[in-house]
Amino acid sequence: MWKLKIAEGDNPWLRTVNGHVGRQIWEFDPKLGSPEELVKIEKARENFRKDRFQRKHSADLLMRIQFAKENPISIVLPQVKVKDAEEITEDQVTNTLRRAVSFHSTLQAHDGHWPGDYGGPMFLMPGLNVDGGWGLHIEGPSTMFGTSLSYVTLRLLGEGPDDGQGSMEKGRKWILDRGGATAITSWGKMWLSVLGVFEWAGNNPLPPEIWLLPYILPIHPGRMWCHCRMVYLPMSYLYGKRFVGPITPTVLALRKELFTVPYHEIDWNQARNKCAKEDLYYPHPLVQDVLWASLDKVVEPIFMRWPGRKLRVKSLRVVMEHIHYEDENTRYICIGPVNKVLNMLCCWAEDPNSEAFKLHLPRIYDYLWLAEDGMKMQGYNGSQLWDTIFAVQAIVSTNLAEEYGPTIKKAHTYIKNSQVLDDCPGNLDFWYRHISKGAWPFSTADHGWPISDCTAEGLKAVLLLSKMPSDIVGEPLDAKRLYDAVNVILSLQNTDGGFATYELTRSCRWLELLNPAETFGDIVIDYPYVECTSAAIQALSSFKKLYPGHRREEIEWCIEKAAMFLEKIQATDGSWFDFCFLANFSLALLLVGNTRCADVYGSWGVCFTYGAWFGIKGLVAAGKNYHDSPSILKACDFLLTRQLVSGGWGERVTFLVRTRCIQILRATDLML
């Protein structure tokens, strides 16, 4: 039986800054589980299998079964039911809130955080669609990227080409019916090349020499969004080395199974720019086609031969130095699962017996999550801090916090233990890193990457708890650590007043023209967002009330600029969405030959409703109100005109490609 283990790390190759607080891993123990528990787990799996094409999301039933035994509810409160015409009383609301908090408390881990599935993008560990293919995410249609990588993964795990009760055959047919795996996206081409199922000649160049360019250039990778540069950093190493794993019988078989023509007859030069229409979220503009062709035909031949080969060797060494720096400063967790496995592969390619590779291995488990739908790779090593700070704010808002002292106290301890206490070592400019001392990460202190809204929400949570009795919620965070958090927030404000995610916006928006990923848009630089900006305003406003003497003028000016940014980016219909750059960028794309233009918005959350929530909260925290702020007035009109009959709000996922709010029929996405 599988068991979720919390805050444990007895492997000698693990590193930690706080005793592994927040670490959540699944471990199999054949001795665990009563017959009744095993039957319950198998029933949960079978029920999911039966309905997997209708209900694609899991309910974390394996974790809930475990926690129901470890954290049983002492008293099950009765459900409050009201009729449509019945007046709802304050007691009924309070009892409903008490029932919700009681249940939520049973899902809290002993170190104070709330564990859970953070499955994320489906290409990390996807699920089968009815048509036999696999998509980019749980709700998505089948893609060449998802289908090819899933098919290859199953073959590597031992499935035969005709196994899986027909699933393998259907998946292969889906691939071949659409022209074969030569039409996979650039990320897929890279992975298949590493495996030996695709030739590196079929990839557009990712020269590691770009890391040797002077930082003053706007195209320097150090200016990219951290997730983008941390993925293309190890990719450039693998490309520069033309690394290929062992050619096994399975690899040779895949060369026959994935393509519509014999492997030796494939035109790899033509394959460089091929991409299935199902995957083409961001078509390459003409400028990219010219750039990749020039690098492939002119520049790469120079680097592959002496004396240009000397520069290639130097650039590979520099890239590996940056890979090791990222590994060491995240305790080998890395910023996300994609660069985690890429960095680990680079360490193995450099030296299979290296200490770096051995330090990577036990951290694989930090990304694996188990539920009734099977084991999957998470989009991060979890969302521990993020979930905990919002749980705290929610519980405090019920005015029932003192009834749930142990829950709040454990959560408070987790938040305090998860704050980043030091900057990364060395010259931060050399390593292209922002300050992090005082920040809060999305997940754990061991992960350690500072994020603007996580820091802001973390600061809001500890400030809320500092106003409550310490015998109930624990000792407040030291003022010096609060000052450190404020310093991080102030340092992350861009010149336009907005806040991006991990770092300042470091380059120009036109750099998106060079985005090589057909599957993802708006990934090259770190853009400012309504959510991050609003969270910063709210946190600084709360801090200013409790510590009016600390950097007051800087904080007030920061809030004022941030509020102006929120007003500036509000849409004409009163909504907010995750800030992008449609007008100027669309024109630029049209000029360079991309007729699809940039018609896609959205980054996270229920885009427009979520954005309106944060926009209003930020402006209110900045001192605005319904009577003196046209922005708040328009936002309220937007929400009121889109409220559903049920009283809730919701949107369709198609907002991602329509750039406007598309409502759903039922308010299941978000309640305000």
Side-chain angles (χ1 to χ4, degrees):
M1 178 175 165
W2 288 92
K3 182 178 181 180
L4 179 62
K5 305 185 78 172
I6 302 295
E8 294 189 21
D10 55 3
N11 190 306
W13 291 101
L14 285 170
R15 303 288 184 267
T16 183
V17 297
N18 64 352
H20 301 289
V21 169
R23 188 172 191 239
Q24 46 185 39
I25 62 168
W26 287 89
E27 186 176 280
F28 185 76
D29 186 343
K31 299 178 182 178
L32 282 180
S34 66
E36 293 77 16
E37 287 174 319
L38 296 176
V39 167
K40 186 182 293 186
I41 290 171
E42 189 52 43
K43 184 178 179 181
R45 289 172 171 160
E46 181 59 29
N47 288 338
F48 181 85
R49 278 193 292 269
K50 288 178 181 177
D51 297 332
R52 68 186 186 277
F53 296 126
Q54 286 73 42
R55 298 182 181 182
K56 299 185 177 183
H57 296 267
S58 70
D60 264 342
L61 294 181
L62 271 64
M63 182 195 77
R64 290 175 183 241
I65 290 170
Q66 176 181 326
F67 277 25
K69 182 178 179 180
E70 295 177 357
N71 308 323
I73 299 179
S74 55
I75 301 176
V76 179
L77 300 174
Q79 183 178 5
V80 176
K81 294 186 177 182
V82 294
K83 298 178 181 178
D84 290 341
E86 185 180 345
E87 184 177 348
I88 300 173
T89 67
E90 184 176 343
D91 285 344
Q92 288 175 321
V93 172
T94 300
N95 288 337
T96 300
L97 290 172
R98 187 175 284 116
R99 189 168 183 265
V101 177
S102 296
F103 172 74
H104 199 57
S105 296
T106 68
L107 300 178
Q108 186 182 31
H110 63 78
D111 67 353
H113 85 276
W114 275 267
D117 181 1
Y118 192 69
M122 288 303 294
F123 65 86
L124 300 172
M125 197 71 76
L128 186 67
N129 282 330
V130 178
D131 62 3
W134 286 264
L136 187 64
H137 56 85
I138 291 175
E139 299 288 351
S142 298
T143 63
M144 186 64 74
F145 187 25
T147 304
S148 296
L149 291 189
S150 297
Y151 180 88
V152 169
T153 300
L154 288 167
R155 292 287 280 113
L156 294 175
L157 290 171
E159 292 289 329
D162 300 314
D163 290 348
Q165 298 177 325
S167 294
M168 297 297 289
E169 185 179 358
K170 287 173 65 178
R172 184 169 64 255
K173 184 178 185 300
W174 193 98
I175 295 168
L176 297 177
D177 285 350
R178 288 155 182 81
T182 50
I184 197 172
T185 60
S186 58
W187 283 27
K189 287 176 167 66
M190 184 278 307
W191 276 116
L192 294 183
S193 298
V194 165
L195 183 61
V197 182
F198 206 94
E199 294 298 311
W200 280 109
N203 289 256
N204 279 321
L206 290 172
E209 287 75 17
I210 192 173
W211 289 88
L212 301 180
L213 294 174
Y215 184 77
I216 194 172
L217 296 177
I219 63 170
H220 191 284
R223 295 182 176 276
M224 295 177 179
W225 181 41
C226 54
H227 275 283
C228 182
R229 73 170 181 267
M230 285 301 169
V231 166
Y232 284 105
L233 174 72
M235 279 187 181
S236 71
Y237 181 83
L238 296 168
Y239 175 83
K241 289 198 73 166
R242 303 296 198 274
F243 175 79
V244 180
I247 305 301
T248 66
T250 301
V251 170
L252 294 175
L254 285 167
R255 288 181 176 183
K256 297 178 181 179
E257 296 166 22
L258 292 173
F259 304 101
T260 57
V261 299
Y263 189 77
H264 66 277
E265 295 181 10
I266 295 173
D267 185 340
W268 296 111
N269 182 58
Q270 187 183 62
R272 286 191 302 108
N273 292 311
K274 287 187 72 173
C275 182
K277 62 180 177 61
E278 291 84 358
D279 297 64
L280 204 55
Y281 180 86
Y282 173 72
H284 286 172
L286 179 62
V287 67
Q288 274 199 46
D289 294 336
V290 173
L291 173 63
W292 303 140
S294 301
L295 289 172
D296 184 64
K297 303 304 180 187
V298 180
V299 179
E300 271 303 304
I302 296 174
F303 290 141
M304 296 300 288
R305 297 177 179 86
W306 189 90
R309 182 68 186 169
K310 287 188 174 182
L311 193 62
R312 173 58 50 92
V313 172
K314 179 181 178 181
S315 64
L316 290 173
R317 184 174 66 251
V318 169
V319 166
M320 277 309 302
E321 288 174 358
H322 283 274
I323 288 173
H324 289 313
Y325 187 83
E326 157 72 352
D327 291 344
E328 291 162 6
N329 285 285
T330 58
R331 276 53 63 183
Y332 291 81
I333 297 171
C334 301
I335 195 172
V338 179
N339 84 311
K340 158 67 182 176
V341 291
L342 286 169
N343 284 14
M344 183 170 65
L345 181 58
C346 289
C347 290
W348 191 87
E350 182 187 41
D351 180 3
N353 297 311
S354 66
E355 181 177 288
F357 178 68
K358 294 173 183 175
L359 287 164
H360 262 293
L361 291 175
R363 285 298 188 181
I364 294 173
Y365 303 99
D366 293 54
Y367 281 102
L368 299 177
W369 186 264
L370 194 72
E372 65 272 19
D373 58 346
M375 181 169 281
K376 49 211 161 182
M377 179 79 79
Q378 298 188 98
Y380 223 69
N381 69 318
S383 52
Q384 296 90 317
L385 188 280
W386 185 251
D387 295 342
T388 303
I389 52 183
F390 276 108
V392 164
Q393 294 180 51
I395 294 172
V396 171
S397 72
T398 66
N399 293 324
L400 299 172
E402 294 192 11
E403 292 184 31
Y404 298 93
T407 298
I408 289 289
K409 191 171 188 176
K410 284 195 296 182
H412 192 192
T413 300
Y414 181 80
I415 297 170
K416 290 186 288 186
N417 286 336
S418 298
Q419 188 180 23
V420 180
L421 301 182
D422 294 292
D423 291 326
C424 292
N427 183 344
L428 297 183
D429 291 337
F430 177 81
W431 300 109
Y432 317 117
R433 293 293 292 263
H434 197 81
I435 63 170
S436 52
K437 183 181 180 181
W440 271 279
F442 185 67
S443 55
T444 63
D446 281 340
H447 182 282
W449 271 87
I451 307 179
S452 61
D453 55 348
C454 296
T455 302
E457 299 294 348
L459 181 59
K460 284 169 56 181
V462 294
L463 289 173
L464 271 176
L465 295 174
S466 72
K467 295 186 283 187
M468 298 181 64
S470 59
D471 59 326
I472 294 176
V473 302
E475 292 299 319
L477 194 68
D478 183 74
K480 178 64 171 65
R481 289 171 62 178
L482 298 177
Y483 298 162
D484 289 339
V486 169
N487 184 56
V488 169
I489 294 173
L490 292 174
S491 74
L492 285 168
Q493 187 171 39
N494 287 299
T495 54
D496 63 1
F499 286 78
T501 55
Y502 292 79
E503 299 160 336
L504 293 166
T505 302
R506 295 177 174 179
S507 193
C508 311
R509 293 172 185 164
W510 60 258
L511 197 62
E512 206 68 48
L513 292 169
L514 303 182
N515 173 14
E518 305 90 345
T519 311
F520 309 107
D522 309 332
I523 64 169
V524 179
I525 65 172
D526 201 351
Y527 297 99
Y529 295 96
V530 59
E531 185 207 35
C532 299
T533 305
S534 171
I537 293 174
Q538 295 174 56
L540 293 175
S541 297
S542 297
F543 176 83
K544 186 179 69 169
K545 293 174 184 176
L546 295 177
Y547 296 87
H550 184 76
R551 302 177 69 172
R552 184 178 184 87
E553 291 184 3
E554 293 176 74
I555 290 173
E556 289 178 346
W557 177 231
C558 176
I559 292 172
E560 183 179 343
K561 285 199 302 178
M564 288 190 290
F565 173 82
L566 293 181
E567 292 172 335
K568 181 176 66 176
I569 66 169
Q570 187 181 27
T572 55
D573 66 357
S575 67
W576 279 272
F577 40 82
D578 294 326
F579 182 61
C580 201
F581 48 97
L582 177 64
N584 294 333
F585 190 49
S586 295
L587 176 61
L589 289 176
L590 289 168
L591 290 173
V592 295
N594 187 337
T595 56
R596 286 274 302 267
C597 67
D599 60 351
V600 178
Y601 283 102
S603 292
W604 52 69
V606 184
C607 190
F608 294 90
T609 313
Y610 187 75
W613 169 36
F614 271 94
I616 292 172
K617 290 276 286 184
L619 292 175
V620 169
K624 313 281 185 180
N625 61 59
Y626 181 83
H627 301 289
D628 66 12
S629 172
S631 290
I632 292 179
L633 180 63
K634 286 195 299 180
C636 290
D637 287 342
F638 168 80
L639 290 174
L640 289 172
T641 56
R642 285 159 180 81
Q643 188 178 24
L644 303 178
V645 176
S646 64
W649 284 263
E651 298 166 18
R652 293 190 184 277
V653 71
T654 44
F655 75 89
L656 284 170
V657 293
R658 297 286 297 276
T659 71
R660 62 185 176 85
C661 179
I662 301 172
Q663 291 173 271
I664 62 169
L665 298 179
R666 294 178 296 110
T668 56
D669 287 333
L670 183 68
M671 297 296 291
L672 294 179

